[in-house]
């Protein structure tokens, strides 16, 4: 496995793969890798000839009061994990490498589907994601790009952008990887105290319960209310509990496929999760 | 020469060139071609193995009161001219082909350098240009793209966007092509009456005069004032006469390379032109 820290170095490393028409699979990450990320890499490994993983904590997707400075940077450990799952090239550029040179004047923004859910609490977040993903796509020029369904809204935003701008890339969403107790894996889980970590799986339990209630015919509004009550009873501070179509349009009743989204805080740590429930006539 | 009207058809036409690693040169146009466009194509022909020219009148870069509906569409004549100068593929998609399917939610905007000159009079214009150029770049995936220096601000905006987003494309600016009497060639010149057409070269004469005055040591502000007086005396209604650095930053005196920009109307027809004057110590 090679590690490249410059755009030029990465391009040189990829030029042979490109000229021999090998398929390139790309997994963009912010590092501090867990099994969720590794499953994205395994999926890329299965589908593609060459697997590139980027590790870059992207400053422009963090708000002024968010955890950019304290976000965990664990490159050595990440590299070891990536080598074990068959990554070919790690791209770990500096902020200077990605945003140095001339002042950036170009912004990309996806409207409508970024206005609520995580977008409401994090103004500019998805613009920052759209810009860095576009830059990385243009640098790596992959055939396939892999994103986790845990950040479902992010996945939807990227799919929308790729379609709107005719980017020559297939975006693949990979199901959420969970701990044995059901907690969705996340780098931010490391911020939880032991006690909070014990409480955290209540999110997924509430979502599974909601799935069962929907299938049993309970009204969507009641199901959402039950999740909220459940989380509050477990000591969460709720950001949102929302039902949407798979393309993030609002939905009033369970008459088509639905995705239920939760964002809730335990202490200072914000956790997100979601569940997709298929509508069967 | 082939003509393709669908993205799929174009991709099929280009797949052989791509797999044999031929260089692709791309000239995006709105059709109604004149010698200025043909010089872009000749430049592409000189530098690249395969030359693609797009003809697409892009609705989203026109304002509500602009000339989208009346913009001249002359595909047959354009195709004949393109065949004569060695174009390999004409890409002439419909609006449906470029913007059909899902509603577009993604916008690209370049700040600062789009706020004045032509940007001040045409809100949203450069966003529309940035989006269509990005879409076409992603569809054609050229190695080189050719733009005229007549639309100097557009060229600067595209260069900025390409650099900011790490697009793997070299953007080449081609000098303005002029009629014998000095008028910069433009599809919109066709809107001029015979009398207006006689008057129009006064713009370039004023710019050449400004160049001589700068080289003779006259103050930049006086030179700009002289251009304005000259145009008003010739019956133009001035949109702007401005001096900028080559990267479109404002400039007070002739102590570095300067570009002087003119936009002025004759009747309803808006003409633009510019001249670059190198600073020699």
């Amino acid at each position: 496995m090679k590690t490249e820290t410059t755009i030029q170095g990465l391009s040189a490393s990829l030029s042979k793969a490109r000229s021999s028409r090998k398929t390139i699979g790309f997994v963009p990450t912010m590092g501090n890798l867990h099994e969720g990320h590794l499953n994205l890499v395994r999926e890329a490994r299965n589908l593609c000839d060459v697997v590139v993983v980027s590790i870059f904590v992207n400053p422009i997707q963090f708000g002024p009061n968010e955890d950019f400075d304290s976000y965990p940077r664990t490159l050595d450990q990440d590299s070891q994990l990536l080598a074990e799952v068959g990554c070919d090239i790690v791209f770990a550029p500096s902020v200077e490498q990605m945003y140095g040179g001339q002042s950036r004047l170009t912004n990309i923004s996806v409207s409508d589907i970024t206005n609520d859910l995580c977008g409401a609490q994090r103004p500019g977040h998805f613009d920052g994601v759209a810009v860095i993903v576009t830059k990385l796509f243009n640098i790596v020029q992959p055939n396939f790009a892999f994103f986790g369904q845990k950040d479902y809204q992010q996945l939807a935003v990227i799919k929308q952008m790729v379609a709107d701008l005719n980017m020559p890339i297939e975006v693949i969403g990979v199901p959420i990887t969970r701990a044995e107790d059901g907690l969705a894996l996340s780098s931010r889980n490391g911020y939880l105290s032991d006690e909070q970590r014990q409480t955290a799986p209540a999110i997924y339990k509430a979502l599974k319960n909601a799935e069962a209630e929907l299938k049993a015919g309970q009204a969507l509004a009641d199901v959402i209310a039950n999740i909220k009550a459940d989380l509050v009873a477990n000591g969460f501070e709720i950001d949102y509990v929302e039902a949407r179509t798979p393309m993030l349009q609002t939905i009033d009743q369970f008459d088509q496929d639905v995705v239920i989204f939760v964002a809730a805080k335990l202490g200072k740590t914000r956790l997100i999760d979601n569940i997709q429930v298929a509508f069967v006539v």
Side-chain angles (χ1 to χ4, degrees), chain A:
Chain A
M1 189 180 74
K2 271 191 189 175
T3 299
E4 299 290 352
T5 57
T6 66
I7 294 167
Q8 216 177 358
L10 180 71
S11 297
S13 272
L14 283 171
S15 71
K16 203 174 156 188
R18 264 197 248 291
S19 64
S20 54
R21 311 298 293 166
K22 290 189 170 165
T23 57
I24 298 174
F26 177 48
V27 183
T29 82
M30 299 210 300
N32 196 235
L33 304 180
H34 51 63
E35 276 300 310
H37 300 103
L38 299 181
N39 281 337
L40 301 179
V41 180
R42 289 182 186 108
E43 194 75 18
R45 181 72 287 162
N46 283 341
L47 268 167
C48 304
D49 299 322
V50 177
V51 175
V52 180
V53 177
S54 65
I55 296 182
F56 180 65
V57 185
N58 175 36
I60 71 166
Q61 75 187 67
F62 287 79
N65 299 313
E66 293 182 9
D67 55 349
F68 173 70
D69 288 329
S70 63
Y71 199 90
R73 273 102 169 154
T74 55
L75 183 59
D76 290 347
Q77 183 191 311
D78 292 344
S79 296
Q80 200 176 321
L81 293 169
L82 289 173
E84 285 168 14
V85 293
C87 168
D88 296 302
I89 303 174
V90 179
F91 180 49
S94 64
V95 171
E96 169 69 21
Q97 184 67 207
M98 292 305 289
Y99 292 111
Q102 64 177 12
S103 304
R104 181 177 64 89
L105 302 179
T106 307
N107 189 44
I108 302 178
S109 83
V110 179
S111 59
D112 189 28
I113 60 173
T114 56
N115 292 341
D116 58 2
L117 302 176
C118 286
Q121 295 273 340
R122 307 185 73 184
H125 168 70
F126 286 112
D127 288 13
V129 170
V131 167
I132 192 64
V133 167
T134 298
K135 286 168 70 77
L136 289 168
F137 280 0
N138 283 328
I139 292 167
V140 177
Q141 298 171 54
N143 303 87
F144 299 89
F146 300 80
F147 293 85
Q149 288 176 358
K150 175 165 169 291
D151 296 309
Y152 190 100
Q153 190 178 12
Q154 171 179 277
L155 172 63
V157 168
I158 288 163
K159 279 184 172 171
Q160 179 81 39
M161 175 180 78
V162 163
D164 284 348
L165 299 180
N166 303 88
M167 293 180 177
I169 293 168
E170 189 168 331
V171 174
I172 294 179
V174 177
I176 298 175
T177 305
R178 300 182 179 281
E180 279 197 14
D181 59 12
L183 177 64
L185 297 192
S186 165
S187 296
R188 291 195 172 97
N189 293 350
Y191 297 153
L192 297 169
S193 69
D194 288 350
E195 192 189 347
Q196 289 169 337
R197 178 64 190 76
Q198 296 279 319
T199 307
I203 296 177
Y204 185 57
K205 285 198 195 84
L207 286 172
K208 287 298 283 183
N209 193 43
E211 180 185 35
E213 288 174 353
L214 282 176
K215 286 181 174 171
Q218 263 194 262
L220 183 55
D222 296 343
V223 170
I224 297 294
N226 290 347
I227 298 173
K228 288 182 180 171
D230 215 343
L231 293 176
V232 168
N234 278 283
F236 288 87
E237 182 193 327
I238 294 174
D239 258 13
Y240 59 76
V241 178
E242 297 269 0
R244 295 298 160 89
T245 70
M247 284 308 289
L248 300 186
Q249 302 306 305
T250 52
I251 180 172
D252 290 331
Q253 41 185 349
F254 182 45
D255 54 5
Q256 55 179 305
D257 294 355
V258 69
V259 188
I260 301 175
F261 294 92
V262 169
K265 280 184 182 168
L266 274 181
K268 285 182 177 171
T269 305
R270 187 171 175 280
L271 301 173
I272 64 173
D273 203 347
N274 67 77
I275 196 166
Q276 302 180 52
V277 186
F279 179 71
V280 184
V281 186

